[in-house]
Amino acid sequence: MSRIGRKPINIPAGVEVKMDNGVITVKGPKDTLTHKVHPKMSVEINDGVITVTRPNDQKESRSLHGLTRSIISNMIEGVTNGFKKELEVNGVGYRVQKQGTNLVLNLGYSHQVTVPEIPGIKYEVKGNVITVLGADKQKVGQIAAEIREKRPPEPYKGKGIKYVNEVIRRKEGKTGKK
């Protein structure tokens, strides 16, 4: 039996959870999130506790059990506290700034790279650190990965955009002939 799927989810104060026709809606102080639950999974909301159950022990049902519970738990976490990813821009002449709601990156290309702000996601810039904030964990991670993809860190000088807690394995440069 799935250890994650079996755990009940407590609904904190100020969060409203509704289930209609296989779609779960979580409304909280930060945002409102919806997710279509797989038809095999059954979600029950009783007395401020959400439980996810599966119909049988087939491989697909077992995988969906923990996944569904994790998604619902992350939705509740997102509408109460939110999620954030921090990216660091390293390199001579590499700059990042916020113009209006857009993120403008100077990354050594012949042009500036502009990343527009999408609904539900906000950017904060402090020095050379970009913080991506939002209630949807998947969206925050995806946007952070797309920003990092604009100039991934290279192993020789460490230039590029990396996650703050990411460790870049450095390589030694070429050595002269002996």
Side-chain angles (χ1 to χ4, degrees):
M1 186 105 185
S2 169
R3 292 183 194 177
I4 300 290
R6 275 190 300 191
K7 290 170 95 176
I9 307 165
N10 294 322
I11 303 171
V15 176
E16 189 180 311
V17 181
K18 285 189 222 161
M19 183 80 178
D20 319 325
N21 300 334
V23 177
I24 190 160
T25 306
V26 179
K27 186 176 184 180
K30 293 222 181 235
D31 204 357
T32 302
L33 299 173
T34 60
H35 176 71
K36 188 175 186 312
V37 179
H38 195 277
K40 285 188 177 180
M41 295 297 110
S42 61
V43 178
E44 292 145 19
I45 305 163
N46 296 323
D47 301 328
V49 175
I50 302 171
T51 53
V52 180
T53 54
R54 64 180 187 223
N56 52 38
D57 279 345
Q58 291 179 349
K59 187 170 176 59
E60 185 186 20
S61 297
R62 290 195 319 254
S63 336
L64 288 169
H65 191 204
L67 173 73
T68 305
R69 192 257 180 217
S70 295
I71 288 172
I72 295 168
S73 176
N74 286 338
M75 289 168 68
I76 290 172
E77 176 74 21
V79 298
T80 53
N81 303 327
F83 291 100
K84 75 176 183 176
K85 288 270 188 181
E86 292 182 324
L87 298 152
E88 189 177 358
V89 181
N90 295 322
V92 177
Y94 287 15
R95 283 197 335 260
V96 60
Q97 56 194 16
K98 197 168 175 194
Q99 288 182 349
T101 57
N102 295 337
L103 202 60
V104 178
L105 307 162
N106 293 336
L107 300 172
Y109 296 122
S110 60
H111 59 282
Q112 291 181 330
V113 178
T114 305
V115 181
E117 198 171 85
I118 63 167
I121 300 291
K122 285 195 288 195
Y123 306 123
E124 287 179 2
V125 177
K126 190 179 281 184
N128 65 340
V129 177
I130 305 165
T131 308
V132 182
L133 301 160
D136 189 350
K137 187 174 188 177
Q138 191 273 331
K139 241 187 220 181
V140 169
Q142 181 66 37
I143 296 297
E146 287 172 7
I147 292 171
R148 182 185 182 275
E149 201 175 64
K150 303 293 182 195
R151 179 68 91 170
E154 55 97 17
Y156 295 100
K157 292 184 180 177
K159 293 168 63 170
I161 302 174
K162 70 177 189 80
Y163 295 108
V164 168
N165 58 355
E166 183 180 12
V167 176
I168 305 300
R169 288 190 63 200
R170 302 296 288 270
K171 291 184 180 178
E172 196 175 312
K174 290 182 180 178
T175 57
K177 274 191 173 179
K178 290 185 180 183

